[in-house]
Amino acid sequence: MRQTLARRCAITTVALGLALATAPAVAEAAPKPHTNAAVKVSLTVQGPNGLLFKGKIKTKGHDVTTATGGTHKCDGTNGGANASKVPTPTAALDDAAHKKGFTWDGTWYASFDDFSVDTIKNVNGGGSAYWSISVNGTPTPVGGCQFAIHTGDSVAFTWTSF
């Protein structure tokens, strides 16, 4: 009986050793959290009468200044949306405006910790329309300074009537 117990222990030890030897060495590391590294995205601005801008933009989250709203962070940490700074749609719009020579303006809403984009290239929604923001064809569930974007994303600001 003692030999049988010893034999079972030896077999169990060998089996366990083989199982560990053939198992994957280490699970792959978890994906890194978002970072504020610059990303390249496609940006489209569609006005009521057609395309106002289309191009590739390199961007990262940064402070944004508008005539109406002043200077505020627009780096994804707004409203606690992300734990660290990330590129955002409104930062991409701001970079495109600076690099391609057009204007945009937005009101700052402290209660949302975000801008409302009011005017792009002198096109204002007024009381009948607004600038909607979408990424990869889906409207963003949060403001344009809160939503994280990634390399290859398609960002669109579209004049949308009520």
Side-chain angles (χ1 to χ4, degrees), residues 138-154:
T138 303
T140 59
V142 293
C145 289
Q146 299 175 34
F147 193 84
I149 57 175
H150 306 91
T151 293
D153 281 349
S154 294

Side-chain angles (χ1 to χ4, degrees), residues 77-150:
T77 63
N78 301 63
N82 295 278
S84 59
K85 294 179 179 183
V86 295
T88 65
T90 302
L93 175 67
D94 188 62
D95 283 332
H98 288 289
K99 293 173 184 170
K100 303 299 182 178
F102 65 87
T103 61
W104 77 279
D105 194 15
T107 303
W108 176 257
Y109 289 95
S111 59
F112 296 110
D113 200 20
D114 214 325
F115 286 94
S116 166
V117 176
D118 300 327
T119 305
I120 303 175
K121 289 187 112 176
N122 298 316
V123 176
N124 185 319
S128 64
Y130 66 99
W131 288 99
S132 65
I133 305 168
S134 64
V135 176
N136 299 324
T138 303
T140 59
V142 293
C145 289
Q146 299 175 34
F147 193 84
I149 57 175
H150 306 91

Side-chain angles (χ1 to χ4, degrees), residues 23-32:
V26 176
E28 289 195 29
K32 292 183 180 181

Side-chain angles (χ1 to χ4, degrees), residues 40-76:
K40 193 170 191 177
V41 298
S42 297
L43 176 68
T44 303
V45 178
Q46 183 71 37
N49 298 318
L51 192 63
L52 298 175
F53 176 82
K54 184 173 184 170
K56 301 261 187 207
I57 293 297
K58 191 172 183 179
T59 190
K60 65 181 190 172
H62 62 274
D63 287 352
V64 166
T65 302
T66 68
T68 303
T71 301
H72 301 279
K73 67 181 179 176
C74 188
D75 62 12

